[in-house]
Amino acid sequence: MMEACGGKVKAWDLVNEAISGGDNDKDGYYDLQHSEGYNSGTWDVGGDAFYWQDHMGDLEYIRQACRLARKYGPEDIVLFINDYNLESDWDDNKKVKSLINWIKKWEADGVTKIDGIGTQMHISCFENATHLNNVKKHITKMFQLMANSGKLVRVSELDMGYVRGSDRWGKSSKTEDLTEAEHKKMADFYEWIFKEYFRIIPPEQQWGICQWCTTDAPANSGWRGGEPVGIWDINNYRKHVYAGFVRGLNGGEPTGIEDIEDDKAIDISKGIYNIQGVSMSATSLDELPCGIYIVNGKKVVVK
């Protein structure tokens, strides 16, 4: 894979979703994922599940992957461990704490180096204020723990559903059923997440935010089917959450264009064209109706 990319891909998920949700050895941290055959002691590895750690051990399989990535990848390669539910409010962020602990174990050989942590953040916005505030509290804790790890921090697969009612584990609402107020609430949540990321993660550790779904999921989608997970709807129209993204990235409400100066020295000797590329018959900008035109390869506004 490294050779096929020819050094053009600089950042990689070295391992994805390594952490389980169980703590069989009772050390206070979640174990790694293993096949059912490994867990039961039968070593029935001929089934559908295959885990390198079943064969190489919990430490060596990561270390070997890291060695190979750095051997065959570009010199400036950046390696991430990516996982989901790192913002988990139900176990007080135990999964991200476990991941950070495992990274320390993997790096204890003095050779292995993990550059960053990717948090998927497949989350939901809640109608219930108590649930939403608790989710926010643990997103903040997640960012704090990741910042304190000293690793690069990437939000790798961000998307959001919407849950009505008082049930923390209630069914997600469908896009077609959401009210405008609920769309705006989702936009505000996205904005808050972006601002919290920039507030907590030091600039030198910020590795960006990736939105998982550009558009809402079709009803027949295998991923959150029919849910409002995109920043555009299924017909590619912008949603309120688009504005939430803009506000979050911009640090506040979008600003307008101000203090435009009139440039009197525009050379129109090569012609004036409209946005569609059609040459205009006018010999000066003053003869044109209001609009946007192309002059010398640049956009010109006639007011």
Side-chain angles (χ1 to χ4, degrees):
M1 290 171 61
M2 294 293 177
E3 292 176 346
C5 292
K8 295 182 176 63
V9 179
K10 305 296 185 181
W12 293 75
D13 283 345
L14 182 70
V15 172
N16 185 50
E17 301 179 2
I19 309 298
S20 74
D23 181 15
N24 294 326
D25 59 6
K26 307 301 179 185
D27 66 347
Y29 298 103
Y30 288 143
D31 307 324
L32 298 188
Q33 302 264 20
H34 282 280
S35 69
E36 289 303 314
Y38 178 91
N39 290 330
S40 66
T42 63
W43 278 84
D44 178 19
V45 295
D48 294 333
F50 179 90
Y51 295 85
W52 282 110
Q53 55 268 42
D54 287 359
H55 305 270
M56 301 176 66
D58 289 347
L59 300 180
E60 179 57 24
Y61 96 101
I62 292 282
R63 292 172 177 173
Q64 175 78 324
C66 188
R67 285 194 296 269
L68 292 172
R70 296 201 184 279
K71 178 179 179 179
Y72 294 105
E75 291 185 2
D76 55 350
I77 193 170
V78 179
L79 300 177
F80 284 82
I81 305 293
N82 189 58
D83 222 317
Y84 62 95
N85 285 349
L86 301 190
E87 72 284 347
S88 52
D89 59 293
W90 55 90
D91 60 4
D92 196 27
N93 297 101
K94 186 173 180 178
K95 193 165 189 180
V96 70
K97 294 173 184 175
S98 300
L99 178 54
I100 292 170
N101 184 63
W102 275 107
I103 290 174
K104 291 177 181 178
K105 289 184 176 182
W106 294 324
E107 293 184 332
D109 63 352
V111 178
T112 302
K113 182 177 184 295
I114 306 301
D115 299 298
I117 301 172
T119 173
Q120 295 182 12
M121 291 195 72
H122 298 299
I123 60 175
S124 291
C125 181
F126 292 88
E127 177 185 34
N128 183 281
T130 299
H131 295 328
L132 182 58
N133 289 334
N134 196 43
V135 168
K136 285 184 173 182
K137 173 184 173 181
H138 287 86
I139 289 174
T140 297
K141 290 183 71 173
M142 174 191 69
F143 284 146
Q144 290 171 338
L145 288 162
M146 295 171 79
N148 291 338
S149 76
K151 301 298 183 183
L152 298 172
V153 177
R154 179 173 186 252
V155 178
S156 57
E157 304 179 17
L158 178 62
D159 66 0
M160 184 186 299
Y162 191 90
V163 177
R164 290 173 175 164
S166 59
D167 185 356
R168 170 63 179 83
W169 307 107
K171 185 177 180 181
S172 294
S173 299
K174 301 300 183 183
T175 305
E176 60 188 17
D177 298 325
L178 287 193
T179 66
E180 184 173 13
E182 289 169 336
H183 279 293
K184 289 182 176 180
K185 189 172 183 178
M186 292 179 68
D188 291 342
F189 193 14
Y190 273 120
E191 177 185 355
W192 179 88
I193 291 169
F194 276 65
K195 290 181 177 177
E196 201 72 346
Y197 175 88
F198 293 124
R199 181 180 74 85
I200 296 172
I201 307 300
E204 63 273 16
Q205 288 176 248
Q206 294 173 9
W207 195 260
I209 299 173
C210 175
Q211 169 66 9
W212 191 240
C213 304
T214 53
T215 65
D216 292 338
N220 62 351
S221 172
W223 177 255
R224 306 184 86 164
E227 293 187 39
V229 289
I231 54 178
W232 286 270
D233 68 15
I234 200 68
N235 296 310
N236 295 303
Y237 289 103
R238 284 183 190 172
K239 297 164 51 184
H240 286 292
V241 296
Y242 182 99
F245 269 65
V246 173
R247 295 195 303 266
L249 291 170
N250 186 58
E253 290 293 332
T255 56
I257 300 174
E258 301 176 355
D259 302 322
I260 299 177
E261 297 183 2
D262 187 8
D263 188 346
K264 299 295 185 181
I266 298 176
D267 179 12
I268 63 170
S269 61
K270 295 182 180 179
I272 305 171
Y273 299 85
N274 64 15
I275 291 295
Q276 288 73 39
V278 177
S279 178
M280 309 300 292
S281 59
T283 57
S284 73
L285 296 177
D286 293 335
E287 300 174 18
L288 296 168
C290 294
I292 300 176
Y293 300 89
I294 306 298
V295 180
N296 286 333
K298 297 181 179 179
K299 292 180 181 178
V300 174
V301 177
V302 176
K303 300 191 293 183

